[in-house]
């Protein structure tokens, strides 16, 4: 009788341990019920979470905006001079317009293009995009090789007094505006659309 009672006690102990062992096994191999995914990052640094900023913005390069001057490019130096002078005179006019600047340090295709929407109030709306291609271990460049464009920024437009004087005197040396040194205090802003820009640039 005593042996029969001991056997029942042993069976009850084994039965009680089965759920505990199963739970521990699931925690180790990941087969247990996962924690619900709330879509937030408690560190505040990664994806998810309503407070995190978007990494892309509407592509202003796709708006088909008409350039006010020829595209400015820089490899060893900014050129062509005619485009630099055109940009300087646009800024001095106090009106709005659209400029494009392409930085090409090379030797392979390693480009950063900036679209600069001059707003006529001493600021410009700026968006950039990059592409890296054409090196021996990279695919060739295509029209769609550009990476996603940056967030929109509002920058202060710097107009040096020397530039203004040179343009007034029709000097070929100093009447130039270079985008890479002519924009400062850039701050991220709310997204603009193609219609927003067209309305802002429309004659009043």
């Amino acid at each position: 009788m005593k042996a029969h009672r001991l056997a029942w006690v042993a069976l009850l102990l084994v039965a009680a341990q089965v759920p505990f062992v199963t739970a521990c096994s699931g925690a180790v191999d990941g087969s247990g019920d996962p924690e619900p995914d709330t879509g937030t990052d408690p560190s505040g640094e990664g994806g998810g979470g309503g407070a995190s900023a978007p990494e892309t913005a509407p592509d202003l390069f796709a708006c088909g905006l008409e350039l006010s001057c020829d595209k400015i490019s820089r490899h060893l130096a900014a050129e062509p001079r005619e485009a630099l002078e055109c940009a300087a005179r646009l800024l001095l006019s106090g009106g709005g317009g659209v400029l494009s600047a392409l930085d090409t340090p090379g030797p392979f295709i390693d480009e950063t293009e900036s679209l600069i929407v001059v707003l006529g109030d001493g600021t410009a709306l700026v968006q950039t995009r990059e592409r890296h291609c054409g090196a021996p271990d990279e695919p060739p460049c295509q029209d769609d090789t550009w990476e996603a464009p940056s967030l929109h920024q509002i920058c202060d437009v710097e107009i040096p007094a020397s530039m203004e004087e040179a343009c007034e005197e029709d000097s070929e040396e100093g009447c130039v505006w270079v985008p890479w040194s002519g924009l400062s205090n850039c701050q991220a802003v709310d997204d603009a659309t193609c219609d927003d820009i067209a309305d802002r640039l429309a004659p009043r």
Side-chain angles (χ1 to χ4, degrees), residues 68-79:
S68 303
C69 303
D70 290 339
K71 180 178 290 188
I72 299 169
S73 64
R74 179 177 70 173
H75 180 59
L76 298 178
E79 58 182 4

Side-chain angles (χ1 to χ4, degrees), residues 52-61 126-130 146-153 188-192:
S52 59
E55 297 183 358
T56 60
D59 185 0
L60 301 182
F61 292 91
V126 180
Q127 187 176 42
T128 62
R129 63 181 181 179
E130 298 180 3
W146 294 103
E147 298 175 2
S150 71
L151 299 180
H152 299 174
Q153 292 187 314
V189 293
D190 293 338
D191 293 344

Side-chain angles (χ1 to χ4, degrees), residues 14 22 27 30 40 43 47 51 56 86 93 99 103 111-112 154 158 162 165 169-170 172-173 177 179 200:
V14 170
T22 303
T40 59
S43 69
T56 60
C86 176
S93 73
L99 302 173
D103 195 19
E111 299 179 337
T112 301
I154 286 287
E158 301 292 338
S162 58
E165 293 172 2
E169 297 171 0
D170 289 327
E172 294 186 0
E173 293 297 325
W177 186 78
R200 186 68 184 262

Side-chain angles (χ1 to χ4, degrees), residues 31-168:
S31 62
D33 291 336
E35 290 293 324
D37 183 6
T38 62
T40 59
D41 180 0
S43 69
E45 297 176 354
S52 59
E55 297 183 358
T56 60
D59 185 0
L60 301 182
F61 292 91
C63 291
L65 299 172
E66 182 178 354
L67 297 182
S68 303
C69 303
D70 290 339
K71 180 178 290 188
I72 299 169
S73 64
R74 179 177 70 173
H75 180 59
L76 298 178
E79 58 182 4
R81 191 202 167 281
E82 293 79 5
L84 300 173
E85 179 179 352
C86 176
R89 295 194 181 278
L90 170 66
L91 296 176
L92 291 174
S93 73
V98 182
L99 302 173
S100 178
L102 185 66
D103 195 19
T104 60
F108 300 107
I109 301 299
D110 185 10
E111 299 179 337
T112 301
E113 185 174 11
S114 300
L115 188 68
I116 305 164
V117 181
V118 179
L119 300 177
D121 60 359
T123 67
L125 176 65
V126 180
Q127 187 176 42
T128 62
R129 63 181 181 179
E130 298 180 3
R131 67 175 179 175
H132 312 278
C133 51
D137 58 344
E138 295 176 342
C141 297
Q142 304 292 338
D143 291 340
D144 60 353
T145 306
W146 294 103
E147 298 175 2
S150 71
L151 299 180
H152 299 174
Q153 292 187 314
I154 286 287
C155 303
D156 291 336
V157 177
E158 301 292 338
I159 301 180
S162 58
M163 182 191 86
E164 189 170 1
E165 293 172 2
C167 291
E168 289 177 354

